[in-house]
């Protein structure tokens, strides 16, 4: 039916044996714009690009850090703060 694409936020960690790996923290399902209309109305999500979904995840992470009182994590989001930020290349 539809391909499944997940936008995921992960924590990079280094292990002495396995090297660097990512531990998933939060993920959101991405549905292509042309496929949204084919979903039942009750299950139809609002369309957002993969980059917009990634920004949502980063903002969520920063809000969690802020609630833990770890300095000023909003500075990490400075380049992502404006929705009109032009994205170049691919986010990995």
């Amino acid at each position: 039916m539809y391909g499944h694409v997940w936008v995921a936020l992960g924590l990079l960690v280094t292990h002495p044996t396995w090297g660097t790996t990512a531990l998933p923290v939060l993920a959101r399902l991405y549905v292509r714009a042309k496929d949204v209309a084919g979903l039942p109305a009750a299950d139809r999500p609002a369309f957002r690009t993969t980059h917009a979904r990634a920004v949502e995840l980063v903002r969520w992470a920063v809000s969690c850090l802020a609630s833990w009182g770890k300095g000023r994590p909003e500075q990490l989001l400075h380049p992502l703060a404006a929705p009109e930020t032009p994205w170049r290349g691919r986010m990995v």
Side-chain angles (χ1 to χ4, degrees), residues 5 15 23 25-28 35 47-48 50 53 57-58 61-62 65 68 72-74 77 79 91-92:
V5 176
H15 188 275
L23 300 175
V25 176
L26 185 65
R28 294 288 183 253
D35 293 335
F47 173 74
R48 284 188 204 64
T50 54
R53 294 237 183 244
L57 296 179
V58 171
V62 168
L65 290 175
W68 293 335
R72 297 184 45 95
E74 62 274 4
L77 255 188
M91 292 183 71
V92 178

Side-chain angles (χ1 to χ4, degrees), residues 3-73:
H4 293 85
V5 176
W6 290 91
V7 179
L9 177 69
L11 177 65
L12 289 177
V13 295
T14 303
H15 188 275
T17 304
W18 301 315
T20 302
T21 189
L23 300 175
V25 176
L26 185 65
R28 294 288 183 253
L29 182 63
Y30 167 74
V31 179
R32 296 182 304 179
K34 68 180 188 176
D35 293 335
V36 169
L39 296 172
D43 299 327
R44 188 175 303 149
F47 173 74
R48 284 188 204 64
T49 64
T50 54
H51 291 128
R53 294 237 183 244
V55 169
E56 288 174 13
L57 296 179
V58 171
R59 286 185 175 155
W60 172 85
V62 168
S63 70
C64 286
L65 290 175
S67 69
W68 293 335
K70 303 285 187 192
R72 297 184 45 95

